[in-house]
Amino acid sequence: MFQKIRYRLLIFNLLVFSLVLSGFAIAVRVVFVRNLKQQLTDRLTVLGQSAAANAEIDDDRLKVETSFLNQALAGGTQTLEWFDRQGRLIQQYGNAAPRSPLNPQATVEVQPQNPAIQSVTLPILGTETQELIGYVRVSQRLDELQETVLQLDVGLAVGVVIAIVLSGTGSVWLSQQAMQPIVASFERLRQFTADASHELRSPLMAISSNVEVALKYAEGMRSEDREVMGAIASATEQMTRLTEDLLLLARTDRAAPMALAPVNLSELLHQLVQLYQPQAQSQQMTLEAIIEPNLILQGDEWGLKRTFTNLLQNALRYTPTGGQVKLEARRLAQQVQVTVTDTGIGIAPEHLERIFERFWRADQSRRYDQEGAGLGLAIVQAIVHSHRGSIKVNSQPGEGSCFTVKLPLHHS
Ligand code: ADP
């Protein structure tokens, strides 16, 4: 049970951490890439401005002075193009120009592939007149920038993975620490229940033996007193059962290995069905059993008897007169499957989760009546789990319920 909570804690922890970290990595990448692109645009604009300053109109033709370029252009990845007012290419320097024609409206353009190029287009204005005499387009291949971004991506991904692994290790330790007080308080509660029920045994025993003695010599008693004594006897019996159940639950909670021995489940179930046949008949119900022979498993006979007694009792208790109860047991690969099916009142879907809780009853008003205190299924579940088995329930209100117990088979 605690293991499950620990795993859940661990997984949630990791999930939240991964989300936060990925968000952070994405934010870093977005800001970094935007900055890089802005820097590139600024560089190209400066270059474009000096290229524009080195062009002039001569005889109504655009003349370009290219001597400044030798120092200005960066290692063959940049290209300059001059266009006249009509957009005709006049001169080009460098060979990585974008394929698209000049677009005077777009200042910054990106050609995404083959090769990836970013370009900046600027107008050229006449020195004196300030009128438009042409355009200059400065382009740069993006290979370098893409390489930088790729390195950043790899760095971030590796960083995120390492951080998640480290935090995972930390979370294992943390969840262990977090669970310790819970486990300790659970253990205290269990010990308290065990001690309290154990301590209640002797006084209850004293009451019941005294009442027994008193009832043995009941002739001299007034009839009211006899009734009172009878009520005390039955309440004592009920309390004794309750304390025994609590003690049993406290013991199975300790998860100490039980003394297991080979048990013939087929015989055990046959005997139980026989035991409950008269009760079924008196309630005008049919109790049917289909039991595969020789189902042997490694278990605690008393516990298994208790398990199926509780399930049968519930089936008979929560099924109205004329109903049917069926017990089936068969082998399934490495397991034995026992189902107890009834045609009774059923269990509401919202209650299905809760029926195995201690002291939980669908009809809470009937607390502590003769029939039980709501511990029956809690005990069944505890015993089944201590046999490394599982229990499931299917139920339709008004139609009936089906409890399925699976227990591992004994290999001889
Ligand atoms: P108890 O029978 O003592 O009340 P259990 O733990 O055995 O306690 O059962 C808990 C509750 O689950 C019952 O009070 C009842 O509401 C419901 N329940 C159990 N078995 C059945 C069944 N076969 N059909 C309908 N309801 C059931």
Side-chain angles (χ1 to χ4, degrees):
M1 172 176 60
F2 290 117
Q3 208 63 5
K4 227 190 211 162
I5 303 176
R6 241 189 87 190
Y7 282 137
R8 211 179 305 159
L9 210 67
L10 201 72
I11 286 172
F12 278 129
N13 217 334
L14 273 183
L15 214 68
V16 170
F17 193 73
S18 314
L19 277 180
V20 170
L21 217 61
S22 312
F24 176 72
I26 290 172
V28 166
R29 186 186 191 275
V30 166
V31 171
F32 189 79
V33 169
R34 185 180 296 167
N35 261 347
L36 270 184
K37 285 205 168 139
Q38 189 56 47
Q39 274 174 20
L40 180 65
T41 308
D42 291 349
R43 259 200 325 267
L44 293 182
T45 309
V46 170
L47 191 59
Q49 276 161 353
S50 47
N54 282 291
E56 57 185 9
I57 207 95
D58 189 8
D59 265 351
D60 216 25
R61 283 177 57 86
L62 195 67
K63 283 272 169 355
V64 179
E65 170 66 50
T66 54
S67 60
F68 80 101
L69 286 171
N70 288 340
Q71 328 102 43
L73 286 196
T77 59
Q78 287 173 338
T79 301
L80 276 165
E81 294 159 289
W82 287 265
F83 299 85
D84 65 9
R85 238 175 316 186
Q86 285 75 36
R88 282 182 302 234
L89 182 67
I90 302 297
Q91 185 144 7
Q92 174 171 353
Y93 200 95
N95 50 16
R99 285 185 299 276
S100 58
L102 177 78
N103 180 0
Q105 262 78 47
T107 25
V108 180
E109 271 184 301
V110 174
Q111 170 176 303
Q113 268 171 345
N114 298 329
I117 290 174
Q118 173 169 336
S119 49
V120 173
T121 307
L122 296 169
I124 308 174
L125 302 175
T127 4
E128 281 130 39
T129 50
Q130 291 297 311
E131 66 183 287
L132 181 76
I133 55 172
Y135 299 94
V136 61
R137 180 161 75 173
V138 199
S139 316
Q140 165 141 19
R141 291 177 67 135
L142 292 177
D143 312 13
E144 219 173 287
L145 184 128
Q146 282 171 340
E147 180 72 19
T148 313
V149 173
L150 186 73
Q151 277 169 3
L152 173 74
D153 283 348
V154 171
L156 282 176
V158 170
V160 167
V161 169
I162 291 178
I164 287 176
V165 169
L166 285 182
S167 94
T169 329
S171 301
V172 170
W173 181 78
L174 264 181
S175 64
Q176 223 161 11
Q177 296 293 311
M179 290 309 290
Q180 258 169 18
I182 304 174
V183 174
S185 75
F186 178 80
E187 174 56 25
R188 268 200 299 279
L189 193 65
R190 189 201 65 73
Q191 192 60 46
F192 171 78
T193 316
D195 292 348
S197 22
H198 195 266
E199 292 303 316
L200 281 170
R201 269 173 155 184
S202 340
L204 280 172
M205 203 100 85
I207 299 174
S208 76
S209 53
N210 280 317
V211 171
E212 222 171 90
V213 170
L215 280 175
K216 218 183 236 171
Y217 307 103
E219 305 89 50
M221 263 190 228
R222 289 183 301 161
S223 71
E224 302 95 86
D225 290 348
R226 218 173 323 170
E227 263 170 41
V228 169
M229 279 296 168
I232 293 176
S234 106
T236 315
E237 194 190 320
Q238 211 178 315
M239 264 184 89
T240 310
R241 233 185 4 235
L242 200 61
T243 48
E244 292 300 330
D245 284 354
L246 282 174
L247 194 58
L248 174 73
L249 275 173
R251 282 190 180 142
T252 44
D253 279 344
R254 193 162 37 198
M258 293 182 308
L260 300 183
V263 178
N264 188 331
L265 192 69
S266 311
E267 266 177 31
L268 186 149
L269 291 175
H270 268 301
Q271 285 167 5
L272 273 184
V273 169
Q274 238 143 43
L275 192 67
Y276 281 94
Q277 210 54 265
Q279 186 185 337
Q281 271 162 15
S282 74
Q283 290 178 245
Q284 281 143 40
M285 286 163 57
T286 52
L287 172 55
E288 189 188 347
I290 305 172
I291 301 166
E292 217 174 281
N294 292 325
L295 296 171
I296 314 276
L297 46 83
Q298 192 77 1
D300 164 38
E301 184 164 358
W302 181 89
L304 290 172
K305 204 174 261 175
R306 183 76 202 265
T307 299
F308 296 108
T309 305
N310 283 2
L311 290 179
L312 272 180
Q313 275 178 345
N314 276 350
L316 292 170
R317 187 180 301 160
Y318 300 108
T319 304
T321 316
Q324 289 162 11
V325 174
K326 193 155 99 182
L327 185 146
E328 274 178 281
R330 58 198 170 97
R331 201 178 308 247
L332 272 189
Q334 304 298 316
Q335 292 178 313
V336 181
Q337 173 178 294
V338 186
T339 53
V340 180
T341 318
D342 64 51
T343 57
I345 57 171
I347 302 156
E350 67 269 24
H351 292 158
L352 279 180
E353 289 263 304
R354 309 203 54 198
I355 55 169
F356 294 104
E357 285 174 20
R358 291 163 197 195
F359 293 113
W360 190 88
R361 315 194 65 195
D363 184 357
Q364 297 288 343
S365 58
R366 289 187 8 229
R367 274 206 116 99
Y368 307 126
D369 64 5
Q370 281 296 333
E371 295 169 337
L375 286 177
L377 287 177
I379 288 175
V380 167
Q381 193 183 43
I383 294 174
V384 169
H385 283 172
S386 69
H387 279 79
R388 277 192 284 279
S390 64
I391 177 159
K392 261 194 349 214
V393 56
N394 277 317
S395 188
Q396 279 293 327
E399 288 184 19
S401 318
C402 174
F403 287 82
T404 308
V405 175
K406 286 187 183 160
L407 296 165
L409 262 178
H410 172 51
H411 300 283
S412 46

